[in-house]
């Protein structure tokens, strides 16, 4: 790598660092500003000066409010439970379906794969009203199950895994059959371990999406103790009459922090996942 | 030389199975890959299925394994019709061309998986829980011991804790062999197991597989596109060409007495020389106005192809020559030498002899001769034509020309 013809001169390298640095600063600024605001008392938030370091720290007051006014621990736990349940079901359902679409021959397979592609084109917003009606009839409104169920079947996961499994050699599957594995055992013992990079990449996308999702939770949940993190922030703002920005930013920091930490730990897998799937932006 | 027989005597072999293929056909869309193939492999026999690339060998083997299903015909193993039985329920082992080791498992786990699937019950295989069910520990210990034993026999015991990515091609091949063999299959299928090895390893492993077959006694179908491998290893050779089984016989017979022109062309290296000839009204095959063989019942004017093996082609002076030719060059191969020749019409033909015989030969006009009994003659459709009476009289005939 270091000896590649693309090695830059020191000047070129400095220039590259500068450009990347400016880009990073622009991207990071709102988040840093949010953290800074969460440290400031009300008066400073509205002052005209542009300062990152608060003159009078209001950390304890702001974070105290954020943790006290709504059951923040409960909200974070809801987020963890919902995201985990969604991702586990998504993989459990999508992997066998993707295996069948990639490696088995049966009548209507191509039609079904066409339907999967079609499914990719339908956003949840298009079907949310009929789904809301159905969920109310089923008694799933204001339950955690109501947050999980609509997402357990991910056509995106089926599509992604199908492409990944398609690239696995047929002989690997044949070897499994010769060794006495049933189709289910092949999915569990051969396909899953070898599709692990795709599964990790998908899991990261799924967790990020559903942790940050506000749309569907705001439709099915109206109770604070069932709120997911972003909905929790919304409830918090309502409870705070909306203009205590220091506390609001503190709540936002608490809600986004787990994802940031998760990213820092899973950074390598995350980047590998994105490059592997060819998905960017 | 490999020491395999003793090591494997300890493993109790199950009864080898008889394999019958009965009119098996298979098409993918418009293309017919296999056309009414019938083949019987006796218990314990080693049959090599040979043919050029793309002739349907792998497809046929997969049909025996239960990985593909025939459009027509039947597959019987040990007398039971298994045509529609899935691979997992056939108790047949197969070494795949690409080896297809499980990349996420160590060699030990690769070898153990087929045993785990067959010897443990579904509940015993459950993660965590299964380990505590009665009998599981004893079974797992027995599996571990069998894997060790197979590992020692194939001399891969030092590799057992490596994953396939950390092995050489030859080592992977041995692990694949071990995985197929560890469960004492009654029927053993191999799809070009040596094609990914380098030449020296190939010759060595060839001998080992033959020893292995002797020791295990399992009925074996061995697929290869290398006719030399097939002749050297098998009890019988089955030649497949464009989805049709042309001949099934001992290596000697397919070489000396091929029933079809494709068999004659495919078996033997360098391949047989073929000269186009026309039958005259006396039943003689005429080339360049000279009779080169006689005694054929074919109609006068019919075109035939006269085949002659390189080692049967003699290069001499003009006096006893049956056909004139030009010597282009000789090629030294060690024990043998080849002479590259051209017939009067420019068609190339190859002769083979010991290097001493060709010593001092220079390019230029020569005469070709052979014993009429060594000729293999085929009609226009490619079927073998046999002379009605001893063709030794050709020599006498030539005197008149
Ligand atoms: N799944 C398939 N779909 C379509 N054609 C196939 C399939 N499998 C094999 N074939 C075709 O069948 C022919 C025989 O293939 P194969 O049995 O692999 O040949 P071999 O092993 O003798 O080289 C080839 O022409 C190949 O293209
Ligand atoms: Mg093949």
């Amino acid at each position: 790598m270091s000896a590649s013809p693309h090695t830059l001169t020191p000047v070129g390298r400095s220039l590259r660092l500068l450009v990347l640095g400016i880009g990073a600063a622009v991207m990071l600024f709102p988040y840093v500003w949010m953290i800074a605001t969460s440290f400031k008392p009300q008066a400073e938030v509205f002052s005209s000066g542009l300062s990152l370091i608060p003159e009078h720290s209001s950390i304890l007051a702001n974070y105290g409010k954020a943790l006290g006014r709504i059951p923040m621990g409960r909200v974070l736990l809801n987020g963890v439970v919902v995201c985990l349940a969604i991702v586990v079901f998504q993989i459990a359902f999508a992997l066998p379906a993707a295996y069948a679409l990639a490696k088995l021959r049966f009548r209507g397979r191509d039609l079904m794969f066409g339907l999967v592609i079609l499914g990719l084109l339908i956003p949840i917003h298009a079907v949310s009203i009929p789904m809301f009606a159905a969920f109310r009839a089923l008694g799933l409104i204001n339950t955690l199950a109501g947050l999980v169920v609509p997402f357990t079947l991910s056509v995106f996961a089926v599509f992604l895994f199908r492409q990944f499994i398609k690239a696995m050699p047929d002989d690997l599957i044949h070897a499994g059959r010769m060794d006495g594995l049933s189709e289910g055992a092949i999915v569990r013992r051969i396909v899953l371990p070898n599709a692990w990079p795709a599964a990790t990449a998908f899991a990261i996308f799924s967790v990020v999406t559903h942790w940050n999702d506000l749309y569907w939770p705001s439709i099915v949940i109206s109770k604070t103790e069932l709120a997911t993190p972003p909905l929790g922030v919304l409830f918090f703002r309502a409870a705070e009459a909306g203009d205590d920005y220091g506390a609001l930013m503190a709540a936002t920091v608490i809600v986004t922090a787990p994802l940031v930490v998760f990213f820092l730990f899973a950074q390598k897998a995350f980047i590998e996942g994105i490059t592997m799937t060819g998905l960017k932006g | 030389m490999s020491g395999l027989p003793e090591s494997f005597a300890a493993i109790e072999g199950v009864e080898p199975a008889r394999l019958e293929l009965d009119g098996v056909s298979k098409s993918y869309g418009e293309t017919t890959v296999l056309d009414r193939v019938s083949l019987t492999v006796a218990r314990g026999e080693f049959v090599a299925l040979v043919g050029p690339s793309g002739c349907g060998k792998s497809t046929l083997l997969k049909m025996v394994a239960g990985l593909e299903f025939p459009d027509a015909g039947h597959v019987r193993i040990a007398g039971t019709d298994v045509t529609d039985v899935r691979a997992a329920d056939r108790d047949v082992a197969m070494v795949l061309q690409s080896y297809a080791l499980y990349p996420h498992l160590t060699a030990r786990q690769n070898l153990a998986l087929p045993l785990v699937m067959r010897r443990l019950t579904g509940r015993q295989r459950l993660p965590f829980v299964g380990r505590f069910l009665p009998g599981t520990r004893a079974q797992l210990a027995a599996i571990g011991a069998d894997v060790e034993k197979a590992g020692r026999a194939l001399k891969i015991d030092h590799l057992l804790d490596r994953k396939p990515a950390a092995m050489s091609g030859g080592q992977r091949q041995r692990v694949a062999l071990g995985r197929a063999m560890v469960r004492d299959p009654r029927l053993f299928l191999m799809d070009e197991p040596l094609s990914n090895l380098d030449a020296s390893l190939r010759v060595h492993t060839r001998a080992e597989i033959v020893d292995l077959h002797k020791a295990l006694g399992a009925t074996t179908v061995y697929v290869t596109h290398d006719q030399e491998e097939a002749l050297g290893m098998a009890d019988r050779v089955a030649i497949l060409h464009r989805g049709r089984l042309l001949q099934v016989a001992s290596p000697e017979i397919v070489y000396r007495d091929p029933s079809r022109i494709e068999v004659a062309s495919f078996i033997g290296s360098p391949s047989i020389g073929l000269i186009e000839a026309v039958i005259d009204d006396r039943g003689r095959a005429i080339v360049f106005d000279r009779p080169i063989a006689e005694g054929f019942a074919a109609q006068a004017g019919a075109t035939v192809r006269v085949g002659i093996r390189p080692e049967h082609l003699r290069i001499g002076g003009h006096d006893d020559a049956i056909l004139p030719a030009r010597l282009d060059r000789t090629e030294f191969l060690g024990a043998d030498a080849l002479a590259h020749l051209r017939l009067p019409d420019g068609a190339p033909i190859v002769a083979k002899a010991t290097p001493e015989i060709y010593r001092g030969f220079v390019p230029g006009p020569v005469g070709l001769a052979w014993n009429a009994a060594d000729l293999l003659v085929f009609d226009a459709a490619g079927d073998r034509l046999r002379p009605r009476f001893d063709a030794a009289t050709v020599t006498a005939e030539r005197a008149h020309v």
Side-chain angles (χ1 to χ4, degrees):
Chain A
M1 282 288 250
S2 58
S4 82
H6 300 291
T7 309
L8 292 169
T9 61
V11 177
R13 205 173 318 148
S14 317
L15 205 68
R16 183 171 65 177
L17 273 178
L18 189 71
V19 171
L20 284 176
I22 292 172
V26 168
M27 301 292 254
L28 275 177
F29 183 73
Y31 197 79
V32 174
W33 189 251
M34 177 183 89
I35 294 173
T37 309
S38 74
F39 294 165
K40 293 175 185 171
Q42 184 84 336
E44 266 184 64
V45 170
F46 290 108
S47 77
S48 54
L50 206 69
S51 161
L52 274 181
I53 315 290
E55 280 165 34
H56 308 284
S57 165
S58 183
I59 296 180
L60 285 182
N62 287 344
Y63 282 81
K65 276 185 209 158
L67 291 169
R69 297 282 159 83
I70 61 160
M72 191 54 89
R74 181 68 203 268
V75 166
L76 291 177
L77 186 68
N78 288 343
V80 170
V81 169
V82 167
C83 285
L84 217 60
I86 287 177
V87 78
V88 166
F89 280 117
Q90 277 176 331
I91 292 177
F93 290 151
L95 208 61
Y99 167 70
L101 288 174
K103 292 290 182 197
L104 303 184
R105 270 171 289 164
F106 53 91
R107 199 188 286 258
R109 179 184 69 172
D110 294 341
L111 179 75
M112 284 192 195
F113 186 58
L115 291 177
V116 167
I117 305 263
L118 199 67
L120 283 174
L121 304 177
I122 300 175
I124 184 165
H125 317 91
V127 292
S128 51
I129 291 177
M131 216 146 64
F132 176 78
F135 275 39
R136 198 170 50 185
L138 292 171
L140 289 175
I141 299 302
N142 270 322
T143 63
L144 287 183
L147 288 172
V148 173
V149 170
F151 304 106
T152 49
L153 293 172
S154 165
V155 282
F156 175 65
V158 173
F159 177 76
L160 180 70
F161 292 155
R162 186 254 184 197
Q163 300 309 93
F164 197 84
I165 296 169
K166 192 116 187 128
M168 287 183 192
D170 281 348
D171 275 358
L172 205 56
I173 312 296
H174 289 155
R177 290 191 189 137
M178 301 294 317
D179 284 347
L181 275 70
S182 64
E183 297 301 303
I186 286 174
V187 172
R188 232 172 328 116
R189 287 175 180 265
I190 299 175
V191 174
L192 177 60
N194 288 299
W196 202 242
T200 325
F202 173 76
I204 289 166
F205 277 111
S206 168
V207 167
V208 170
T209 306
H210 295 290
W211 182 272
N212 289 330
D213 186 27
L214 182 57
Y215 180 76
W216 185 250
S218 67
I219 289 176
V220 282
I221 300 297
S222 58
K223 292 187 180 147
T224 314
E225 68 269 24
L226 289 175
T228 56
L231 194 60
V233 174
L234 217 60
F235 285 145
F236 176 76
R237 197 176 69 175
E240 279 302 298
D243 58 353
D244 188 351
Y245 284 110
L248 186 61
M249 289 304 115
T252 316
V253 169
I254 293 171
V255 160
T256 51
L259 268 196
V260 173
V261 173
F262 173 63
F263 174 76
L264 289 179
F265 275 107
Q267 202 172 12
K268 200 159 157 263
F270 192 89
I271 288 163
E272 270 171 11
I274 290 174
T275 33
M276 192 254 342
T277 55
L279 295 168
K280 285 182 189 137
Chain B
M1 71 170 198
S2 62
L4 276 171
E6 294 100 305
S7 330
F8 270 101
I11 299 182
E12 282 293 306
V14 288
E15 273 294 274
R18 173 188 167 90
L19 166 70
E20 290 160 88
L21 296 172
D22 185 3
V24 168
S25 295
K26 177 82 183 175
S27 307
Y28 290 111
E30 294 288 281
T31 36
T32 303
V33 175
L34 292 171
D35 186 11
R36 285 162 291 159
V37 172
S38 294
L39 172 68
T40 301
V41 182
R43 288 176 42 191
E45 197 181 15
F46 191 122
V47 166
L49 187 62
V50 67
S53 236
C55 70
K57 305 180 297 288
S58 296
T59 309
L60 189 61
L61 211 58
K62 280 176 183 161
M63 230 107 65
V64 176
L67 300 169
E68 288 281 354
F69 297 93
D71 299 333
H74 293 275
V75 180
R76 280 183 284 273
I77 295 174
T80 313
D81 192 322
V82 294
T83 312
D84 300 316
V85 176
R86 335 173 281 145
D89 302 326
R90 280 197 193 184
D91 191 19
V92 167
M94 181 161 167
V95 179
L96 294 146
Q97 192 167 358
S98 61
Y99 310 148
L101 297 177
Y102 307 118
H104 59 293
L105 299 180
T106 62
R108 186 188 303 281
Q109 292 165 324
N110 264 283
L111 258 60
L113 188 58
L115 298 181
V116 167
M117 294 314 290
R118 270 164 222 281
R119 294 193 196 161
L120 297 186
T121 62
R123 266 188 295 159
Q124 286 177 319
R125 287 199 301 267
L126 284 178
F128 313 119
V129 194
R131 207 161 280 268
F132 301 102
L133 290 175
T136 315
R137 272 162 195 278
Q139 285 285 16
L140 285 177
I143 289 171
D146 284 356
V147 168
E148 288 281 345
K149 193 155 38 171
R152 275 197 303 277
L154 283 170
K155 303 196 191 79
I156 48 168
D157 35 348
H158 60 294
L159 300 171
L160 284 178
D161 292 310
R162 279 198 216 168
K163 289 193 176 174
M167 294 180 208
S168 72
Q171 293 171 332
R172 279 179 215 167
Q173 195 267 349
R174 299 183 87 77
V175 176
L177 211 54
R179 182 177 63 179
M181 186 200 77
V182 72
R183 61 186 160 94
D184 298 324
R186 51 186 188 153
L187 181 56
F188 203 5
L189 310 176
M190 294 188 238
D191 192 352
E192 310 210 15
L194 308 184
S195 62
N196 294 329
L197 302 184
D198 55 56
S200 65
L201 199 54
R202 206 177 303 163
V203 172
H204 177 73
T205 316
R206 204 194 278 182
E208 279 194 333
I209 289 179
V210 171
D211 287 348
L212 192 66
H213 172 254
K214 286 213 189 86
L216 292 175
T219 311
T220 303
V221 181
Y222 182 99
V223 160
T224 174
H225 67 265
D226 181 347
Q227 51 93 24
E228 203 180 307
E229 224 170 87
L231 295 182
M233 297 172 76
D235 297 327
R236 282 193 305 153
V237 178
I239 295 109
L240 196 64
H241 185 262
R242 297 201 180 161
R244 306 192 69 153
L245 206 52
L246 298 180
Q247 188 171 12
V248 187
S250 71
E252 288 236 5
I253 299 287
V254 295
Y255 187 77
R256 291 190 200 290
D257 196 12
S259 62
R260 291 276 313 172
I261 194 165
E262 296 89 349
V263 177
S265 308
F266 189 75
I267 302 287
S269 170
S271 54
I272 193 167
L274 289 167
I275 305 170
E276 200 154 294
V278 177
I279 300 290
D280 71 358
D281 49 12
R282 285 196 277 166
R284 300 180 306 177
I286 309 290
V287 183
F288 310 120
D289 298 331
R290 295 165 188 243
I292 58 167
E294 70 162 22
F296 298 105
Q299 228 177 342
T303 308
V304 298
R305 309 252 274 165
V306 178
I308 176 142
R309 297 262 179 220
E311 64 272 28
H312 294 149
L313 201 54
R314 285 197 309 272
I315 304 175
H318 280 281
D319 323 329
D320 75 329
I322 304 174
L323 273 185
R326 250 194 91 76
L327 177 65
D328 278 352
R329 64 193 175 89
T330 57
E331 185 180 345
F332 176 72
L333 294 179
D336 298 317
L338 301 182
H340 297 273
L341 303 142
R342 284 187 187 281
L343 296 174
D345 64 350
I349 192 164
V350 178
K352 182 163 95 173
T354 56
E356 290 74 45
I357 292 180
Y358 293 157
R359 189 169 294 142
F361 274 34
V362 288
V366 291
L368 297 181
W370 55 74
N371 295 331
D374 290 331
L375 295 181
L376 301 168
V377 183
F378 303 90
D379 68 15
D383 279 322
R384 180 77 179 280
L385 279 181
R386 293 168 202 275
R388 276 171 308 170
F389 36 81
D390 196 325
T393 41
V394 173
T395 325
E397 284 288 337
R398 207 181 59 237
H400 301 288
V401 181

